[in-house]
Each structure stands twice: as structure tokens, then as C-alpha cells.
Amino acid sequence: MNVMNRFQKRMSIEQEKVTDQMREKEKCTGCMLANKQRPVHVVYEDQLVCGILDHDPFHEGHTLLIPKAHVLEIEDVNQKTANAIMKGVTIVVKAIKALYTPAGITICQNGGEFNDLDHYHIHVIPREREPSFADFYSEALLNNEALKKKLPETRVALAAKIERLKGTV
């Protein structure tokens, strides 16, 4: 096989990989959310990560940070994206503490069969003593209709606070 044929074959393989990644991204809920292809309440964004309010919030300000590139599990996240996620988490935590003065904050991610987006994401969840955090993992519906109705208002306040804090991290 001559050099040109090897090059063409290698290019063909690379194109197939890119096409497969694009197909995966088109059907991935996490990709669609992070790239704003579905209605979302964006509170934080940079080139690699999008921070959105959870559509089913545990407490006001409950935020998901989602890589824009398709990544299934934590071990698939490259270092640059991991750093961007943690920078976003830090800014979101500061903003949540300033706005809502929660009793605490839980930062978590669910992998494997518990990854409900089939895309790596991390939760930043303001906490109070009640309800019990066990309710977060319960199959029972949360009593959060008032929080859901307030999502647009929460987005405006949290996004504004985050914008002011961006230069501090």
C-alpha cells in the first residue's frame, strides 16, 4: 500500500469516528441540554461546560454542570474539561451560598446505571436539614412545584450573581 492509500484509509477511519460521535451527540440528552438544543435555564457557561438549573430541583439553585462534548463517565473526561467543570462548580457554589445561605451544599455525580442523562454531569445541590437528602435518591416525587414555577426567576438571580463572581475564581 502506498503512502497516499494509507493516508486516505486513515482519513476514512477518522471521518467514521467523527460521524459516530456526531450521531451519539444528536441522540444524547446531556449533549442536547449542554448545547441548549432543548429548553434549559442556563446560569453558567464557558467554552467546555454549561451550567443549567435542574428541571426537578431539590432546593432553589440546584444546578447541573454538563460538558458540551459527549462524555459518558468521569473516567472519560479529559483534564481540560475536568478543570473547567471544577471551575464552574466553584463559581456556582459561591453564588448559591451568597444568594440562598443554605445549611450546606452537596456536590455529586451518578455514574453507570444511575447516570440518568447517559452523559457525565455533576450536581451542585443547596441543602437544608429538611427534607432529608435521602429523598434526593428516592423514587417518590419531590414536593417542588413551587420551585419549578420559580425556575425563570431563579435563573435570572443566580446567573447575575455568577456573572459578578466569574472574575474571582
Side-chain angles (χ1 to χ4, degrees):
M1 187 181 294
N2 68 34
V3 174
M4 189 55 130
N5 286 344
R6 281 194 303 255
F7 175 76
Q8 288 173 332
K9 184 171 182 162
R10 202 173 316 140
M11 289 304 295
S12 178
I13 291 169
E14 289 301 314
Q15 287 173 335
E16 285 179 36
K17 285 181 187 177
V18 169
T19 301
D20 288 346
Q21 289 171 344
M22 289 172 61
R23 279 191 205 111
E24 187 66 33
K25 196 171 185 173
E26 287 174 0
K27 64 182 178 180
C28 173
T29 301
C31 285
M32 288 188 270
L33 294 172
N35 292 287
K36 301 177 280 190
Q37 295 169 339
R38 289 207 176 153
V40 290
H41 297 280
V42 176
V43 296
Y44 174 84
E45 187 170 19
D46 66 17
Q47 291 179 319
L48 301 173
V49 176
C50 189
I52 63 171
L53 294 176
D54 194 303
H55 75 284
D56 194 22
F58 191 71
H59 281 294
E60 188 170 14
H62 178 172
T63 302
L64 304 179
L65 282 113
I66 311 171
K68 292 179 179 180
H70 182 70
V71 186
L72 182 58
E73 298 288 349
I74 183 69
E75 61 269 21
D76 302 323
V77 178
N78 66 43
Q79 192 62 52
K80 189 174 181 181
T81 301
N83 290 342
I85 291 167
M86 290 314 296
K87 181 179 179 183
V89 165
T90 302
I91 293 169
V92 170
V93 165
K94 285 182 176 187
I96 288 171
K97 285 182 175 181
L99 284 174
Y100 307 113
T101 60
I105 291 181
T106 294
I107 299 168
C108 62
Q109 70 92 188
N110 303 307
E113 68 181 82
F114 306 103
N115 183 343
D116 55 347
L117 294 183
D118 291 326
H119 187 105
Y120 177 80
H121 61 287
I122 194 163
H123 292 260
V124 178
I125 308 167
R127 297 271 311 278
E128 299 298 341
R129 295 209 178 269
E130 295 296 327
S132 166
F133 195 61
D135 293 352
F136 179 75
Y137 290 103
S138 168
E139 294 297 320
L141 295 176
L142 297 173
N143 181 13
N144 62 356
E145 289 307 312
L147 289 174
K148 288 179 182 180
K149 288 179 183 170
K150 198 175 176 185
L151 284 172
E153 178 183 330
T154 301
R155 189 208 66 77
V156 169
L158 191 54
K161 188 64 166 177
I162 287 169
E163 194 58 38
R164 288 191 297 275
L165 290 170
K166 271 188 176 176
T168 67
V169 175

